[in-house]
Amino acid sequence: MAPLLALEGLSKRFGAVVVANGIDLTLARGEALGIIGPNGAGKTTLFGMVSGTVQPDAGRVRLDGADVTAMTPERRCVRGIARSFQIPQPFGRMTVFENLVVAAAFGGRSSERDTYQHCAEIVTRCGLGDKINRPAGGLTLLDRKRLELARALATRPRLLLLDEVAGGLVEHECAMLVTLIQEIRRSGVSIIWIEHVVHALIAVVDRLAALHEGRFIAEGEPRAVIRSPAVSEIYMGIPTDA
């Protein structure tokens, strides 16, 4: 059986800056992968190439065995790729529920009746039931992060890309978000999560990969990757002979 996602030799540069250098990666159905790396390592660009907002200079993106490299972001969304962004940007004047309906209507492949029912379930699942009719622009940071996840889930994804969703949260808020992501993962959605809050990643993912200067320098069991000399030196700034 083909992996759900396969990246084959993805390369990208912006002028003289190489942000992806022949990246190869596979993700199994139901798997959760964490990606760490310093700022500028190419993590968000990698998500752009998977979701379709950035076109690679070389290489292929395959979803369920099909080549989606040339597909637009909206077509990839319909095929089951959804993503969150580092800074949530909901439709501020729309309610929480209306934000989900927009996502479901354009990416969820559902009838109008099914869309409303699905969105009502997602709102409750993401802990926003008491804010369903509140304008999204007035939400707290934690609730905007929840809404960002809810909008992605409204599209009925098979693959969910999470871009630093724990950033800016205090410890108890981070724990609540981890619980939600664990629940999403148990529902069968495959996840790739970019994050600087490493303990949150370790609570969710099966596998961890470290990205540096557009290439993976370590990959495997999360705690083993964290302890690897390359990650200690490049990502955490700890010399290998320390």
Side-chain angles (χ1 to χ4, degrees), residues 39-61:
N39 291 332
K43 303 184 298 296
T44 296
T45 298
L46 178 62
F47 267 14
M49 291 189 289
V50 175
S51 64
T53 58
V54 175
Q55 275 296 307
D57 297 329
R60 291 285 180 266
V61 178

Side-chain angles (χ1 to χ4, degrees), residues 62-95:
R62 298 188 186 277
L63 182 68
D64 210 8
D67 188 345
V68 299
T69 312
M71 286 188 181
T72 60
E74 56 269 28
R75 288 184 63 197
R76 296 191 202 194
C77 182
V78 169
R79 290 183 72 109
I81 298 177
R83 69 166 294 182
S84 70
F85 291 85
Q86 292 181 28
I87 301 174
Q89 295 183 336
F91 299 108
R93 295 185 180 181
M94 290 185 177
T95 66

Side-chain angles (χ1 to χ4, degrees), residues 225-240:
V225 169
I226 292 298
R227 292 193 299 266
S228 71
V231 172
S232 296
E233 182 173 9
I234 295 173
Y235 181 63
M236 296 180 177
I238 302 172
T240 55

Side-chain angles (χ1 to χ4, degrees), residues 59-196:
R60 291 285 180 266
V61 178
R62 298 188 186 277
L63 182 68
D64 210 8
D67 188 345
V68 299
T69 312
M71 286 188 181
T72 60
E74 56 269 28
R75 288 184 63 197
R76 296 191 202 194
C77 182
V78 169
R79 290 183 72 109
I81 298 177
R83 69 166 294 182
S84 70
F85 291 85
Q86 292 181 28
I87 301 174
Q89 295 183 336
F91 299 108
R93 295 185 180 181
M94 290 185 177
T95 66
V96 167
F97 187 72
E98 289 168 340
N99 268 267
L100 265 65
V101 169
V102 170
F106 285 94
R109 311 172 302 283
S110 301
S111 67
E112 182 176 349
R113 180 177 178 178
D114 288 344
T115 291
Y116 289 133
Q117 179 62 36
H118 178 58
C119 289
E121 293 170 356
I122 293 295
V123 165
T124 301
R125 182 180 178 187
C126 292
L128 294 169
D130 59 340
K131 302 173 180 72
I132 191 169
N133 293 316
R134 184 174 298 180
L139 296 176
T140 65
L141 177 60
L142 174 60
D143 285 339
R144 290 201 303 273
K145 301 263 187 178
R146 285 171 164 165
L147 178 56
E148 188 78 354
L149 278 174
R151 292 200 301 175
L153 292 175
T155 67
R156 302 179 188 270
R158 292 185 289 162
L159 170 61
L160 180 60
L161 309 175
L162 302 177
D163 196 350
E164 298 188 21
V165 291
L169 301 180
V170 299
E171 186 60 33
H172 79 275
E173 292 175 332
C174 184
M176 294 169 70
L177 197 67
V178 165
T179 299
L180 175 56
I181 295 170
Q182 288 171 330
E183 181 185 335
I184 293 168
R185 196 266 171 97
R186 285 194 295 270
S187 72
V189 177
S190 300
I191 294 172
I192 303 179
W193 185 1
I194 292 171
E195 189 56 73
H196 287 297

Side-chain angles (χ1 to χ4, degrees), residues 205-238:
V205 302
D206 307 295
R207 187 163 48 109
L208 189 65
L211 191 66
H212 179 63
E213 294 182 348
R215 63 184 181 87
F216 289 117
I217 59 169
E219 182 182 342
E221 193 279 325
R223 288 175 176 81
V225 169
I226 292 298
R227 292 193 299 266
S228 71
V231 172
S232 296
E233 182 173 9
I234 295 173
Y235 181 63
M236 296 180 177
I238 302 172

